[in-house]
Amino acid sequence: ASAPAMSNVDGWAAELSRESYAAFLDLLQPESVIPNVPMNRFEFQGFSAINIPGRAETPNLAGAFRAEGDPIPVKQAATMQTQLTPKSMGVISTFTAECLRRSTPSIEALIRKWIVEDTAVALDNQFLGNSAATPLAPAGLQNLAGTNTSASTGNTHDAIVADIKGMVQSMTASNLGRRPVWIMHPSNLIALNMTLTAVGTPAFPETASNSLYGMPVVTSTTVPLDIVYLVDAAEMAIAFSGPQFLGTDVASVHMEDTTALPIVDGAGTAAAPVRSLYQTNSLGLRMTLETDWSATRAGAVVTLTSVDW
């Protein structure tokens, strides 16, 4: 029995993979919130990992006051590294050749468009969720926030101000906040814009321009209604390889939408149902992409839960 050469299998091609230390991320489709968060962006370009160098906050190389003639202290810094590895997403959709000929607009163009739209939502759900990082998928912002999470104290002007102040203080306590960005549901932004002070004036007038206390606000309907995020985008990194589409009419596929299996596995067990595109005069469109993201320093993500404004 043999296995195909794969970039993540030690002893059979992993050693042939390259590693990159710098790259660039093309913008995702506008359906996703991800491209609107100004993270440090990279692209894999065939490399098996992107290593992002950084430094720990302590020890540091800060100068120290000294008397004339006294020895000058000798210090050292500490370096660290955040590694992004390709996490693969993919989907296949099929249609008959007759449907392709008779559809207006083209079923192929529609499926391609819907794949991009729905994958963008899936990416957002993973990005904004609470899943821990695994070899298959990156961690969600709620997981990256860790203990930097607090519950909202209410929906009054004073409570909202206290919550916002607490989130900012939580981030700045880690000496972070070079490029802060709020992420929230559009309804939460509208609620802020409608909030009034005790004398009846708008409490947060800058929200009409998608800003809150001078920090940009990114909105999306994929953001949970009861969670508000504060992210230091300067300490977030994302790597992305744009969607790759491939069509064919000569493949056989396991027609399963959740747990797709090999057509025949190593034990000789056949998957079912299996469809031959060639035999049924059908076509298949496959999309794959690779992505990964992570915080480069702890404290870069702060979340507010139980939000009801």
Side-chain angles (χ1 to χ4, degrees):
S2 299
M6 292 189 288
S7 63
N8 61 349
V9 178
D10 291 339
W12 186 203
E15 294 76 11
L16 305 179
S17 298
R18 299 167 293 169
E19 292 192 356
S20 168
Y21 284 86
F24 177 77
L25 171 67
D26 289 331
L27 287 179
L28 211 57
Q29 292 294 323
E31 287 82 1
S32 175
V33 68
I34 290 177
N36 295 314
V37 179
M39 296 178 280
N40 300 311
R41 294 170 176 170
F42 306 88
E43 60 181 25
F44 288 112
Q45 294 182 329
F47 298 107
S48 64
I50 297 175
N51 298 314
I52 305 169
R55 57 166 297 188
E57 189 173 349
T58 55
N60 60 56
L61 295 174
F65 289 101
R66 52 178 282 276
E68 181 178 350
D70 283 355
I72 297 175
V74 178
K75 298 184 178 182
Q76 69 178 47
T79 57
M80 60 182 185
Q81 174 180 284
T82 300
Q83 186 175 81
L84 303 179
T85 57
K87 309 293 193 300
S88 179
M89 297 183 72
V91 66
I92 296 173
S93 189
T94 64
F95 46 92
T96 64
E98 292 84 354
C99 181
L100 178 63
R101 288 197 305 269
R102 298 166 185 164
S103 59
T104 304
S106 167
I107 185 64
E108 180 183 2
L110 288 174
I111 288 177
R112 184 185 296 260
K113 176 177 179 290
W114 294 335
I115 283 176
V116 171
E117 292 174 350
D118 295 347
T119 301
V121 173
L123 280 168
D124 273 6
N125 290 338
Q126 183 70 27
F127 182 68
L128 299 166
N130 58 9
S131 301
T134 70
L136 299 180
L141 290 184
Q142 295 177 52
N143 180 270
L144 293 175
T147 58
N148 285 347
T149 300
S150 59
S152 173
T153 58
N155 56 17
T156 64
H157 171 233
D158 290 343
I160 295 173
V161 170
D163 289 342
I164 293 173
K165 181 180 179 181
M167 295 179 72
V168 173
Q169 288 178 335
S170 180
M171 177 171 287
T172 56
S174 299
N175 288 328
L176 299 178
R178 288 188 295 144
R179 201 187 306 155
V181 178
W182 300 99
I183 303 175
M184 63 182 71
H185 193 279
S187 298
N188 297 127
L189 183 63
I190 292 173
L192 288 177
N193 189 250
M194 297 173 63
T195 301
L196 303 177
T197 64
V199 295
T201 58
F204 309 102
E206 70 276 20
T207 54
S209 301
N210 284 12
S211 179
L212 181 60
Y213 288 112
M215 294 172 273
V217 179
V218 172
T219 61
S220 171
T221 54
T222 56
V223 181
L225 264 168
D226 61 342
I227 299 179
V228 171
Y229 306 79
L230 178 61
V231 176
D232 185 356
E235 299 298 340
M236 291 291 299
I238 183 170
F240 183 78
S241 295
Q244 302 294 315
F245 287 89
L246 180 64
T248 184
D249 62 354
V250 295
S252 293
V253 295
H254 180 204
M255 301 294 286
E256 166 60 39
D257 69 349
T258 304
T259 308
L261 301 173
I263 302 301
V264 179
D265 66 16
T269 303
V274 170
R275 184 180 186 88
S276 167
L277 301 182
Y278 177 81
Q279 187 175 28
T280 59
N281 195 29
S282 300
L283 300 96
L285 182 64
R286 186 188 69 195
M287 185 281 297
T288 58
L289 65 83
E290 293 178 331
T291 187
D292 194 15
W293 58 75
S294 183
T296 55
R297 284 181 59 186
V301 182
V302 181
T303 57
L304 182 68
T305 62
S306 303
V307 176
D308 65 351
W309 37 268

